[in-house]
Amino acid sequence: MLVIRNIGELVLFDADAAPMVNSAALRRINDAYVTVDEHGRIVTFGPDADCVALDWFEVVDAEGGCVVPGLVDFHTHTVFAGTREHEFVMRIEGRSYAEIAEAGGGIKTTVKSVRAASEDELVNLALPRLHRMLGYGVTTVEIKSGYGLSVEDELKMLRAAKRLNDLQPIEVVGTYLAAHTVPAEYTDNREAYLDLVCSDELMGRVVNEGLAEFCDIFTERTAFTIDESRRVLLAGKEQGLIPRLHADQITQIGASKLAAEVGAMSADHLETIDDAGIDAMKSANVIAGLLPGCSWYLGVEQAPARKIIDAGLPVALATDFNPGSSVVESLPLCMNIACTQMKMTPAECLIGATANAAAAINRGQRLGAIREGMQADLVILDVPNLERWMYEAGRNCVRTVIKNGRVAFDRDARNS
Ligand code: NIG
Ligand code: FE
């Protein structure tokens, strides 16, 4: 058994509240404790005065720090090779993300690097990224393919992601994103590429090898149309892959409405969502996945978070970490951006990066909240409350990270 004592503020959510539209279900206990059993599950919690800890319990002293659920980065592209700082400079000089993509750069640049890399190289490049994410308090990360765009290269990316799950503490969830863009060799034959994306040879192997739980697509003027997206997402659904989309990022072509139509678990980005999209997602219970780091990094307008929340949609937050549009590994930084640029409260941001994010990757019953029986993924901060964490922008306030009941990261141990 493990007990965390001397918690300045323990942040809880009411049972089975996720996904949550607002922060009404958030509770706080000051001067609290939490116990965790040998299976890595939360057993009891409450005011520290009520704590019954036996001699043999392993004790972690929170030193008055705030304790929150482990963060869930539910939308990332963490497996990649190569960098694109030249595009970063091109955008500073006035070119847009879409212009760079249309000129053959963007995703296609990273595809070249990933195709040239071995599976081992992809694993070795991603490992330090995941270690840094753990240090920011992230205990679960979803990782997409989408920079291979051929049978062997897509499988290579997803196999790398699967190996990463076993090589370090963060739980890794795979998503099949072969429909990220049409690769150069299929420019004049889109139909044939879509056939490949939906084929037994590729999608079928992804499913048979258990490499992904979700099927994603970039539904956008520079990538795939609504009809093409419907085809891919329904083919995936038929094989047991849960649909999700990159929707309404740059242009409004009806992607969030398609998310509702195909029963997607989340529709992510939503910078250009319209009222019809909000209504459709609400009636189909699609989670709104917002990626504040992406628009911040590209220097463009953020998704209308307040409008989306006020309309009654649950919001989940992720980094969208990738080598082009969001070279941002820190989910707490993205939460801070959601506070300052999208006017989400710290409580809404925490819910978005924990319980709602877990729900967005079908893990809401096990992850994302501090409750009896839930997996003990916990973050101990060096600040006394949630608001102080968000207020201290850009400084890493994470002291200790507990994954599945075990200390997986300890800042002080690292420095000593
Ligand atoms: O979520 N929008 C499409 N895909 C990624 C960017 C990928 C890239 O630029 O490499 C995104 O922003
Ligand atoms: Fe993305």
Side-chain angles (χ1 to χ4, degrees), residues 75 77 84 97 107 147 180 218 246 249 269 320 322 324-325:
H75 177 141
H77 308 252
R84 286 158 41 194
Y97 179 77
I107 295 168
Y147 294 122
H180 201 183
F218 188 18
H246 283 70
Q249 183 189 0
H269 273 291
D320 192 20
N322 74 72
S325 65

